[in-house]
C-alpha cells in the first residue's frame, strides 16, 4: 500500500505537467486558427471597401478554404461573383451551399433566393422562375414574388404576371391595379393582332373595370373601334377618357382629333378641345385644335394665330418654330436654312422623359424601355415639364 501511494505521489507532477503542456498546445493551435480565419476575412473586407473586387474575391476564397463550413463567407463570395458578372461561379457557390445537409433551414432559403438572383442576372429566366417558386412560404416570399413579376414582364407572360400581381396586392404589398390594367391591355393587343376582336374587347372592358381612371384602356378601345370602322364610337370613348383621365389629355387629344375628322364631328370636338386648352394649355392639344380647324377649311393664318397666342402665355421654342414656318422673312431666301436649324433645335424638346430613370424617347411609352417602370412617362413633352 505504501509502495502504491508513493508511485501515485510521483505520478501526480508528471500528469500535471503533461496536462499543462497539452492545454498550452491546444490553446496555441486554436489561437493560430482563429488568427488565420479572421485575417483572411478582414483582408477581403478591406479590399471590398476599397472597391478592389478581384483581391477581395481571392481573400474570401482563402477564407473559405480555411473554414469550408462557414456559410456567411460563401454568401459573401457568391454575391461578389454575381456583382462582377461571373454568374456561373456564383451559381456554383450557391448550389454548393444548397447541397450541404447541415445547412440551417433559413440559410437554405437564403441560398435558394441568391441562386434565383444568379439565374435572373444571367438571363436564365426558366431556371430563375423554378428557383423563385420554391420560396413560397418563406421569409423571402415577398421578394421572390416581386422578382417573379419582373421575370414574367420581361418574358411578356402577362397571364402569370397578373396572377403574381394579384397575390402581391392581396398580401398587402401595395396596389397593383395599374399594372393589372396594363397586362390586360397587352393581352388585348395580342388578341387584336390575331383577329380575335371579341376577346380583345373583353380584356379592355375588364381593364377599365379594374382601373377606371387609367387612360390606356379607353385609348386602346378607341383604336380598336376605329379599326372596326366605328370612328363615332371611338370619339365617344375618347371623350369619356378626357373626363376620367384629365392628366392624359395631351395623349388623348391627337387621337380624338383624328377620329373626329373621320367621323365628321370636327365642330363638336373642336369646341371641347378649345375648352380644355383654355383650362390646361398644352402643345399637343394645340396641335389637335389646329388640325381640326384646318380640316374645317380655316385659312393657314389661323393656325399661326393659335401658336402666336400660345407664345404670349408660354415661352415655347416648339411653338415659335411652328409659327415662323408660315412667316414671310425679310430675307426669305434664308428661310429654309433657318427653319432646318429651328427644327433641329426643338427635336430634343418634343421628346418624352421617364421620371424614374431619365430615359428619353420620341414616343410615349406606358412602360419605360430603360428601367421597365410602368406609368413613369408624363403625358407632357420635355419642353413642358
Amino acid at each position: 500500500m505504501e509502495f502504491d501511494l508513493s508511485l501515485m505521489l510521483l505520478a501526480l507532477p508528471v500528469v500535471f505537467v503533461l496536462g499543462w503542456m497539452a492545454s498550452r498546445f491546444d490553446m496555441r493551435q486554436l489561437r493560430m486558427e482563429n488568427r488565420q480565419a479572421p485575417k483572411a476575412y478582414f483582408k477581403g473586407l478591406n479590399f471590398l471597401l476599397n472597391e478592389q473586387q478581384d483581391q477581395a474575391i481571392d481573400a474570401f476564397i482563402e477564407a473559405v478554404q480555411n473554414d469550408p463550413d462557414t456559410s456567411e463567407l460563401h454568401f459573401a463570395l457568391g454575391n461578389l461573383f454575381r456583382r462582377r458578372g461571373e454568374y456561373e461561379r456564383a451559381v456554383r457557390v450557391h448550389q454548393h451551399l444548397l447541397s450541404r445537409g447541415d445547412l440551417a433551414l433559413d440559410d437554405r432559403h437564403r441560398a435558394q433566393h441568391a441562386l434565383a438572383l444568379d439565374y435572373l442576372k444571367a438571363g436564365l429566366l426558366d431556371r430563375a422562375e423554378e428557383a423563385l417558386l420554391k420560396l413560397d412560404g418563406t421569409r423571402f416570399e415577398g421578394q421572390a414574388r416581386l422578382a417573379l413579376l419582373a421575370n414574367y414582364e420581361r418574358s411578356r407572360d402577362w397571364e402569370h404576371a397578373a396572377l403574381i400581381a394579384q397575390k402581391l396586392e392581396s398580401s398587402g404589398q401595395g396596389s397593383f391595379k395599374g399594372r393589372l390594367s396594363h397586362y390586360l391591355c397587352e393581352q388585348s393587343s395580342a388578341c387584336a393582332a390575331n383577329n380575335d376582336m371579341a376577346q380583345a374587347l373583353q380584356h379592355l372592358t375588364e381593364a377599365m373595370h379594374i382601373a377606371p381612371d387609367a387612360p390606356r384602356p379607353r385609348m386602346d378601345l378607341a383604336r380598336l373601334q376605329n379599326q372596326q370602322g366605328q370612328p363615332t364610337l371611338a370619339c365617344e370613348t375618347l371623350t369619356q377618357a378626357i373626363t376620367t383621365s384629365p392628366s392624359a389629355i395631351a395623349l388623348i387629344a391627337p387621337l380624338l382629333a383624328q377620329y373626329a375628322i373621320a367621323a365628321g364631328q370636327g365642330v363638336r370636338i373642336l369646341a371641347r378641345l378649345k375648352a380644355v386648352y383654355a383650362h390646361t394649355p398644352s402643345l399637343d392639344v394645340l396641335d389637335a385644335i389646329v388640325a381640326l380647324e384646318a380640316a374645317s377649311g380655316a385659312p393657314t393664318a389661323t393656325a399661326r394665330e393659335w401658336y402666336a397666342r400660345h407664345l404670349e402665355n408660354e415661352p415655347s421654342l416648339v411653338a415659335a418654330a411652328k409659327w415662323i414656318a408660315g412667316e414671310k422673312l425679310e430675307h426669305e431666301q434664308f428661310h429654309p436654312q433657318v427653319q432646318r436649324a429651328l427644327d433641329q433645335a426643338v427635336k430634343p424638346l418634343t421628346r418624352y422623359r421617364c421620371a424614374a430613370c431619365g430615359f428619353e424617347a420620341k414616343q410615349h411609352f406606358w412602360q419605360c424601355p430603360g428601367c421597365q417602370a410602368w406609368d413613369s412617362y408624363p403625358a407632357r413633352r420635355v419642353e413642358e415639364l
Side-chain angles (χ1 to χ4, degrees), residues 130-334:
E130 182 182 352
L132 289 167
L133 288 172
K134 292 179 180 178
L135 292 167
D136 273 353
T138 71
R139 71 181 178 94
F140 295 97
E141 182 180 68
Q143 298 174 51
R145 284 178 177 174
L146 287 171
L148 267 174
L149 190 65
N151 192 18
Y152 288 137
E153 287 182 357
R154 188 175 172 186
S155 59
R156 303 185 67 80
D157 187 349
W158 305 116
E159 292 184 11
H160 283 96
L163 289 174
I164 296 297
Q166 288 167 357
K167 288 181 179 179
L168 284 166
E169 183 155 353
S170 62
S171 63
Q173 295 197 44
S175 175
F176 289 83
K177 287 184 172 60
R179 286 201 186 191
L180 286 168
S181 174
H182 283 301
Y183 299 159
L184 287 164
C185 289
E186 293 289 347
Q187 292 178 67
S188 174
S189 298
C191 291
N194 293 326
N195 292 320
D196 188 355
M197 297 302 176
Q199 188 63 43
L201 182 60
Q202 183 178 340
H203 284 315
L204 291 175
T205 303
E206 188 179 350
M208 287 187 288
H209 176 72
I210 289 174
D213 298 336
R216 184 182 181 183
R218 285 185 171 81
M219 291 177 67
D220 285 1
L221 177 59
R223 289 190 183 96
L224 193 63
Q225 291 166 338
N226 186 65
Q227 288 174 9
Q228 293 180 314
Q230 299 174 311
T232 302
L233 196 56
C235 282
E236 292 302 321
T237 301
L238 289 177
T239 303
Q240 292 174 10
I242 292 176
T243 304
T244 58
S245 310
S247 62
I249 180 61
L251 299 176
I252 298 168
L255 273 182
L256 182 56
Q258 178 186 338
Y259 299 156
I261 293 170
Q265 296 192 12
V267 175
R268 182 175 69 87
I269 298 302
L270 179 60
R272 181 65 186 271
L273 289 182
K274 283 181 178 179
V276 169
Y277 177 81
H279 183 264
T280 311
S282 165
L283 282 171
D284 288 288
V285 176
L286 180 58
D287 287 341
I289 290 172
V290 169
L292 286 168
E293 289 201 334
S296 67
T300 307
T302 305
R304 295 182 59 253
E305 288 174 7
W306 273 103
Y307 290 121
R309 205 175 308 158
H310 184 82
L311 286 169
E312 291 176 1
N313 302 313
E314 303 287 337
S316 168
L317 184 59
V318 176
K322 291 183 178 182
W323 176 84
I324 205 171
E327 178 71 5
K328 292 292 183 181
L329 303 182
E330 182 180 354
H331 301 285
E332 186 61 24
Q333 69 271 24
F334 300 121

